[in-house]
Amino acid sequence: SSSCTRAVTMTEFWLISAPGEKTCQQTWDQMMAATTRTTNLSTNHKFNIPDLKVGTLMSYSFVDSVVKKVAQYMADVLEDSRDKVQENLLANGVDLVTYITRFQWDMAKYPIKQSLKNISEIISKQVSQIDNDLKSRASAYNNLKGNLQNLERKNAGSLLTRSLADIVKKEDFVLDSEYLITLLVVVQKAAYTDWQKSYEGLAEMVVPRSSHLLFEDHDSGLFSVTRFLKAVDDFKHKPGRTSS
C-alpha cells in the first residue's frame, strides 16, 4: 500500500505517491520527518483517494486543457482586475488551495465500485459538458461585449458620427406639422457667432430665431433650426455646414 501526499513549495503544488511501508500512516510519518520536521522543505496534506478498482486510466490531457481554458477565459473576462482571478476560481464553492488540501472523493458522482475506465468516462462526459457550456457562454459574452463596444463608440464619437438618440428630445422638434420641419446642424465652436448671425439668411423660409444649441462636445455644437418643408433641400445643400 502507499500514502499519497501533497507537498507545497511556495505556490507550487506536487501530488506525490510515496513508496509504501507496512501501513499508510507509517509512510506518512516518514514523509513528514523527511520534509517538514527538520528540513522545512514543504507543508504536507493527505490527499485522500479511495481504493479504486485496478484498470488502465485514460489520458487526461483533454481535462487539463479545459481546466486551463476556463482559467484563461476567467482572466480575459476580468480584464483590468486580473489580480482577482484566484479569488474567483472556485472548486465546489471553495478556493483552490482549500479544495486541494482538504480533498475528499465524491462517492456519489464517482462510485468506487466501478472500474477506472467507467469513472474516467464519467469525468470525460462532465468535462465535455463544461467545455460546451464555456463555448456557449463565451459566445454570448463576446456578442454582448461587442454590442456594448459599438454603443460606446456611437456615444463617444464626434457629433458628426455618433448617435444622437440620447442627446435630443422630442421637445427639440416641431412635430406633426404639415408645413414645418426641424433640422439638426453641427457647427464648429469657432463658428457659433457666424451661425447665429447668418442661419436665417442661408436659404429662404427659415423660421426666425428658431435655432437653439442642444448639445456640445469638445469642438462642436449641435443646433436645431426650423424651416418650411418645401425648402429643406435648398438649406441642406448650402456649403460650410453639416445638417440632418
Side-chain angles (χ1 to χ4, degrees), residues 1-5 16-20 23-25 27-28 31 46-47:
S1 63
S2 64
S3 173
C4 293
T5 67
I16 300 172
S17 179
T23 65
C24 288
Q25 186 60 44
T27 303
W28 172 256
M31 172 67 72
K46 291 182 179 180
F47 195 78

Side-chain angles (χ1 to χ4, degrees), residues 79-96:
E79 296 181 347
D80 296 334
S81 302
R82 291 194 176 204
D83 56 320
K84 297 183 179 179
V85 170
Q86 287 298 327
E87 64 187 70
N88 283 279
L89 287 175
L90 304 178
N92 284 358
V94 299
D95 64 89
L96 301 184

Side-chain angles (χ1 to χ4, degrees), residues 46-117:
K46 291 182 179 180
F47 195 78
N48 297 303
I49 298 177
D51 292 330
L52 302 171
K53 287 190 174 183
V54 178
T56 302
L57 195 60
M58 297 171 62
S59 171
Y60 271 75
S61 58
F62 171 63
V63 176
D64 181 62
S65 69
V66 172
V67 170
K68 289 179 178 177
K69 192 188 301 182
V70 171
Q72 181 58 51
Y73 199 77
M74 176 71 75
D76 293 343
V77 168
L78 289 173
E79 296 181 347
D80 296 334
S81 302
R82 291 194 176 204
D83 56 320
K84 297 183 179 179
V85 170
Q86 287 298 327
E87 64 187 70
N88 283 279
L89 287 175
L90 304 178
N92 284 358
V94 299
D95 64 89
L96 301 184
V97 173
T98 300
Y99 179 76
I100 293 174
T101 56
R102 301 179 185 178
F103 177 79
Q104 294 293 325
W105 188 270
D106 192 331
M107 297 291 186
K109 283 187 177 180
Y110 315 108
I112 60 174
K113 291 184 179 181
Q114 296 196 33
S115 67
L116 282 179
K117 181 180 179 181

Side-chain angles (χ1 to χ4, degrees), residues 2 6 10-11 13 27 33 42 66 69 71 81 84 94 105 130 148 153 168 177 179 181 187 200 203 211 229 234 239:
S2 64
R6 182 188 69 86
M10 299 297 287
T11 56
F13 295 82
T27 303
S42 63
V66 172
K69 192 188 301 182
S81 302
K84 297 183 179 179
V94 299
W105 188 270
I130 291 173
L148 179 60
R153 280 194 293 268
V168 297
S177 173
Y179 303 104
I181 186 172
V187 181
E200 292 180 3
S211 182
L229 274 168
D234 182 38

Side-chain angles (χ1 to χ4, degrees), residues 3 39 62-63 71-72 100 102 124 129-130 157 171 177 219-220 224 233 244:
S3 173
T39 58
F62 171 63
V63 176
Q72 181 58 51
I100 293 174
R102 301 179 185 178
S124 293
Q129 184 60 53
I130 291 173
E171 293 81 7
S177 173
D219 60 4
S220 302
S224 63
D233 288 341
S244 61

